[in-house]
Each structure stands twice: as C-alpha cells, then as structure tokens.
Amino acid sequence: PGQWVLLEVQDEGVGIGPDDLPRIFDPYYSTKPGGHGLGLAVAHSVVRRHDGYLRADSRRGRGSVFRVWLPASHGAVSPTASGPPEHKTGRLRILLMDDEAAIRRILTQMLERLGHQVETVADGAALLETYRCRHEGSEGFDLVITDLTVPSGMGGREAAARLREFDPQARIIVASGFSSDPVLGRFADYGFDAAIEKPFDLAGLARVIGQVIERRPFEPGAVGGARATGPDAAGSGGA
C-alpha cells in the first residue's frame, strides 16, 4: 500500500540459476572467481535501511531484473547548504584502509577536500606496516580510518587491536556498510575511537573526525551520518 518510487535495472546476461538466486544477497556468497560477495549484500542493507525493498528475478539464459522500491516523499525539499563543513581540525595526516579501490579513491577525494593529506592501503597488514614505518619519523599519522571487513586479508577489527598494542595513543575510526555488525554499536570495545556507517557525506565525515581529534564524547548520531549521493558521498561498495 501507499506510493513508491520504482527503480528497475535489467540486463541480458547469462542469468542466475534457481540454486543461486535465493542466496545472492547473502554476505560473501559469490559465483565469480575472486568475487567478494559483498556488493548485493550491502545494496540490500542500504535499501532496507531506507524502508525500501530490493528484489531480483532471473532465469538462465534470459538475463536478470533488479527492482528497488523506495517510499515516495510528498514533502518539500529544503535547499542544502553549500558552505564549508562545520568542524575544522587543521591539516591532518590520515592513513586510510579499504579493500576496494573505488572507495579508497572517493574517500581520498573527500578527505583532501577537507584539507587533509591521505595515504591509502588495501588491507590490515599493509596498514600496520605503513603506520609503523611512519611512526618513528616526522611523517607519523594523526588519524587512521579503516574498513571493517577485508575478505582476502586482515580486516579492520584485527588491525585495530594490533595497532593499539603498538601505539595505544593511535586514533582510529571504523567505517562500515553493515549496520548490524556489533562493532558499530560498541566500537570502543574493539579498539576504535568512533564509528561511521556507509554511506556518509562530507559533513558527517568532518564531524566524526572533529570529535576524534578533539577527544570529545562521541555523538551516537554520527553513526551513519547524513546520507547523500554524488561526488561528495562515500558509497557502500564494501563493509
């Protein structure tokens, strides 16, 4: 019941078999060689968090159709302020870890727009090695932002625990697209200073960074932040 906006995406590929179709939204389930199985799981999670529905119909040899239903809004759209982010923290050296190159690129652009200097790595092992190499010199990092799950390597949870052993004063933010993961709700128990839920926008990212750098109490509303699309929003192509 009610009014909905329907987005339909159709392809003419090989299709999805009846044994695979019920599992395509399961995390880590993939039929592709080297696939992570996270894309559709995160898409499903994002749509559900917006009170919508995501459904797939497919047959072998006939392609697939994906349909996204989102509740229609009848309210007036308020203009979005285009001013600078609320929190100013000065120029920071930030180490960013995410296993997806596209997410690293988008987040780097966002952080650079906030005035920060960014170095990126693809997994927790590289994060630890890079942090240790820079720690003793003049190019140490002020902040670490890490993805939570890396299917083919060390994830953010283990990396944060090891980083705490090496440098108890490290400041670490976890960013994830899985809202149900207990780490987001109890981030301090896992060695993080704050958590931010993908997708988030520039203002939400700036707010969380400001809270961590200034050692202010973490605001629960920062988890998830303001959601946005376009070049100033970090998507959720991974956890």
Side-chain angles (χ1 to χ4, degrees):
Q3 291 186 306
W4 298 79
V5 175
L6 171 61
L7 172 66
E8 185 174 290
V9 181
Q10 182 173 358
D11 67 37
E12 298 178 351
V14 297
I16 305 169
D19 294 336
D20 295 320
L21 190 60
R23 303 183 61 188
I24 60 174
F25 298 119
D26 293 347
Y28 308 118
Y29 183 78
S30 177
T31 59
K32 295 181 179 179
H36 294 163
L38 290 174
L40 286 176
V42 172
H44 186 269
S45 176
V46 170
V47 170
R48 292 296 296 168
R49 289 204 307 272
H50 286 80
D51 299 321
Y53 300 90
L54 174 58
R55 180 174 178 176
D57 295 298
S58 183
R59 290 185 180 182
R60 283 291 190 187
R62 297 188 180 184
S64 305
V65 180
F66 287 82
R67 296 180 177 91
V68 179
W69 285 269
L70 295 171
S73 172
H74 301 285
V77 178
S78 301
T80 301
S82 59
E86 176 184 354
H87 295 283
K88 294 290 186 179
T89 56
R91 182 178 178 85
L92 303 175
R93 282 187 49 80
I94 298 177
L95 178 58
L96 168 66
M97 187 274 278
D98 198 293
D99 65 309
E100 295 199 34
I103 300 297
R104 292 198 301 271
R105 183 173 62 253
I106 294 170
L107 272 174
T108 296
Q109 293 172 351
M110 294 172 70
L111 291 167
E112 289 178 344
R113 183 170 177 181
L114 293 173
H116 306 310
Q117 183 178 350
V118 186
E119 188 165 343
T120 65
V121 292
D123 60 32
L127 183 152
L128 294 172
E129 180 180 0
T130 304
Y131 191 95
R132 288 168 178 163
C133 289
R134 302 285 190 272
H135 184 71
E136 301 299 332
S138 60
E139 297 183 343
F141 294 103
D142 303 296
L143 179 67
V144 174
I145 300 176
T146 175
D147 190 12
L148 183 58
T149 303
V150 178
S152 58
M154 184 190 301
R157 184 184 305 181
E158 182 180 352
R162 294 192 183 187
L163 185 56
R164 284 281 177 227
E165 295 176 359
F166 175 75
D167 181 12
Q169 301 304 312
R171 301 177 185 185
I172 314 171
I173 298 173
V174 59
S176 176
F178 289 119
S179 59
S180 60
D181 195 293
V183 173
L184 290 185
R186 305 196 313 272
F187 54 85
D189 295 343
Y190 297 91
F192 298 103
D193 294 284
I196 186 167
E197 184 182 327
K198 302 174 183 175
F200 50 83
D201 64 7
L202 197 64
L205 179 60
R207 181 174 63 251
V208 173
I209 291 175
Q211 290 175 277
V212 171
I213 294 300
E214 297 168 13
R215 300 291 191 186
R216 290 183 284 108
F218 184 73
E219 301 170 10
V223 177
R227 292 173 174 81
T229 57
D232 291 341
S236 54

